[in-house]
Amino acid sequence: NNVLGAIHTYNMSEGINVLVLGAAGVVGFGICDAWLKEEGVTVFAVDKDSASLSKLANRLGLDNDSSSRLVTIVGDFSSDVSGNAAKNAIEAALGQNKKLTHIVSAMGCSTPAPAGTGVSSSDALKRVKESYEQVFYPNLIATTLFLDDIRDTEGASFTLAGGPFTHHCPNPELYNTSMMGATLNHYGTILTANTKNSKCRANNLCCHYAIAYPEELKKSNPSSSFGPLLDKDFGPVTDCRDWGKTFVRVAKGPERAGFICMHDAEEAAILVKSKEWKWFPDQHKYGPVY
């Protein structure tokens, strides 16, 4: 149903341990940055790109590359074997006395080459399969490995980050991007229903506007855009650090919101500051109260 649900709380004295998957990407960087600004938080940053991961502390402005508040782990969730290996590495980094409080997956915010018109059916099918293997499967594997671990933890959350064009495809060339975003959205809805009676909750943040690294990072990270930059439809490019704040708001807020769709930077800013959300039946989404 569309009721927001029970109050969502956790004990700050136990510390907050946040697992960010896909941490070295544009969206993952913004999420790490936002969480590290919160008191009592340790971020466990996981990415398969070891080179980018090794630079993450410096990019985040931490004085010490080995800061105890940021723990970097090389991990790949493209298969059950690599996923299990990644989980073992994460558990080793956590140690016996810590448990995860929040899990965020930013592994679904980019897609391979689009499968639009003008290509053979076999080539289009190949690209679709690649999209599922590179975007959906890692999230499926990560969910299978981690969700049950936090299911009975009061106030814990599992959040999927979805990409743009999930409700419509404005250009045939964006077919793959749109399809993967919609797939993650629907999967997130399933997870929300699956955790309805659990102490933890599952959320899905769907972003419909372009997002990029802050200006000071663009020189060292030239590939800084999140999806096609269609300013005429989705407004100006938004700093990923501002967007990352929405993940903190969703995880720490009292609501069981489930699916949240953000159409522009202004709505994301309102979400961060809003005290409550409501269901918008005409748009089939939760959103901040204006």
Side-chain angles (χ1 to χ4, degrees):
N1 59 47
N2 298 331
V3 178
L4 288 177
I7 295 296
H8 180 79
T9 60
Y10 53 81
N11 187 353
M12 278 286 293
S13 65
E14 296 179 359
I16 303 173
N17 301 305
V18 180
L19 177 65
V20 181
L21 307 177
V26 180
V27 177
F29 168 84
I31 296 169
C32 290
D33 180 81
W35 270 115
L36 286 170
K37 288 181 169 64
E38 297 293 311
E39 182 182 354
V41 173
T42 300
V43 172
F44 294 82
V46 182
D47 203 284
K48 63 182 179 181
D49 184 349
S50 58
S52 295
L53 197 60
S54 65
K55 302 174 184 176
L56 189 59
N58 181 259
R59 288 167 53 196
L60 286 166
L62 299 178
D63 295 331
N64 184 354
D65 287 348
S66 60
S67 169
S68 59
R69 296 194 60 213
L70 176 70
V71 181
T72 57
I73 304 161
V74 177
D76 182 6
F77 291 89
S78 60
S79 70
D80 288 331
V81 173
S82 62
N84 279 306
K87 184 178 183 182
N88 289 337
I90 292 165
E91 289 178 341
L94 272 169
Q96 295 182 347
N97 299 322
K98 290 183 179 181
K99 61 182 179 180
L100 293 173
T101 315
H102 301 291
I103 300 171
V104 187
S105 174
M107 297 188 291
C109 292
S110 61
T111 63
T117 58
V119 296
S120 67
S121 58
S122 59
D123 188 35
L125 180 59
K126 178 183 177 181
R127 293 179 181 180
V128 168
K129 288 181 176 179
E130 288 175 349
S131 293
Y132 270 94
E133 290 172 355
Q134 296 180 33
V135 179
F136 179 64
Y137 288 169
N139 284 285
L140 177 66
I141 291 169
T143 304
T144 302
L145 289 172
F146 291 107
L147 184 56
D148 283 344
D149 290 351
I150 64 171
R151 186 179 295 277
D152 295 322
T153 301
E154 185 67 42
S157 68
F158 188 104
T159 304
L160 290 176
F165 315 119
T166 57
H167 303 303
H168 70 290
C169 184
N171 186 306
E173 291 301 312
L174 300 174
Y175 169 73
N176 254 19
T177 300
S178 179
M179 180 185 65
M180 282 299 98
T183 299
L184 282 179
N185 276 0
H186 288 302
Y187 184 56
T189 302
I190 292 171
L191 296 182
T192 299
N194 182 262
T195 56
K196 180 179 179 180
N197 297 316
S198 303
K199 291 182 179 180
C200 76
R201 59 180 173 173
N203 302 307
N204 175 218
L205 262 66
C206 170
C207 176
H208 282 263
Y209 55 87
I211 187 169
Y213 282 127
E215 289 294 328
E216 61 266 26
L217 290 179
K218 285 186 177 180
K219 291 182 180 180
S220 59
N221 297 275
S223 179
S224 63
S225 65
F226 170 34
L229 305 183
L230 301 182
D231 287 0
K232 66 183 190 307
D233 293 325
F234 294 95
V237 177
T238 303
D239 190 319
C240 62
R241 292 174 298 194
D242 292 330
W243 195 64
K245 296 174 185 175
T246 63
F247 283 86
V248 177
R249 170 64 180 84
V250 167
K252 293 183 67 175
E255 309 90 348
R256 285 183 172 271
F259 175 63
I260 299 172
C261 182
M262 297 177 293
H263 283 87
D264 52 45
E266 181 181 2
E267 191 172 63
I270 293 172
L271 170 62
V272 172
K273 297 178 182 178
S274 66
K275 295 182 179 180
E276 61 177 318
W277 294 305
K278 70 176 182 179
W279 176 255
F280 293 89
D282 58 325
Q283 300 177 42
H284 304 287
K285 68 165 189 174
Y286 280 109
V289 176
Y290 287 81

